[in-house]
Amino acid sequence: MDISTAQSIKLAIVSATGLSKDALHIYLGMAVYLTLIVGTRRFRPYLGWLVVFIIACAGEWVDRRDDIGSFGYWRWQASAHDVLNTLFWPTVLTLLWLLKCRSKVSVHP
């Protein structure tokens, strides 16, 4: 079984950091989200969430290709788990922001 370049890079990062793949998904999602939120002039967390979603799906598309090459099928449950891990905290923060915006509108008509 050949390991793709993408999988080799992931394994090297796991080895270098000592973190699990699940933890790396969480950290990557937060790092991308916070970088986009802090780096943009207009505070729009839903756009940061969308970018994290796109990046997570792109990564899982690469994993899908590797799964089919290695196993003969796509382990879609593992991909769904990874996307959920990546999006969990960006989703929580975006929802909190939306609730805060909503409460400002209802308090100040």
Side-chain angles (χ1 to χ4, degrees), residues 53-63:
F53 176 74
I54 291 168
I55 290 171
C57 289
E60 294 311 311
W61 188 258
V62 171
D63 286 351

Side-chain angles (χ1 to χ4, degrees), residues 3-60:
I3 296 178
S4 72
T5 303
Q7 295 304 321
S8 296
I9 292 169
K10 287 182 182 183
L11 291 173
I13 293 170
V14 167
S15 178
T17 61
L19 296 170
S20 69
K21 288 182 181 180
D22 285 343
L24 287 172
H25 276 277
I26 293 166
Y27 287 135
L28 178 67
M30 280 302 295
V32 170
Y33 181 78
L34 292 175
T35 300
L36 290 168
I37 297 306
V38 171
T40 58
R41 291 182 182 240
R42 291 190 175 258
F43 187 69
R44 295 186 183 170
Y46 56 89
L47 292 177
W49 185 93
L50 182 62
V51 171
V52 172
F53 176 74
I54 291 168
I55 290 171
C57 289
E60 294 311 311

Side-chain angles (χ1 to χ4, degrees), residues 21 30 79 84 101 103:
K21 288 182 181 180
M30 280 302 295
S79 289
L84 290 174
C101 288
S103 69

Side-chain angles (χ1 to χ4, degrees), residues 46 76 86 97:
Y46 56 89
W76 65 268
T86 306
W97 175 77

Side-chain angles (χ1 to χ4, degrees), residues 73-101:
Y73 61 94
W74 177 30
R75 298 176 304 154
W76 65 268
Q77 298 93 338
S79 289
H81 176 84
D82 289 347
V83 169
L84 290 174
N85 268 342
T86 306
L87 285 172
F88 179 77
W89 286 112
T91 300
V92 169
L93 294 175
T94 300
L95 290 174
L96 288 172
W97 175 77
L98 289 170
L99 286 172
K100 180 181 175 188
C101 288

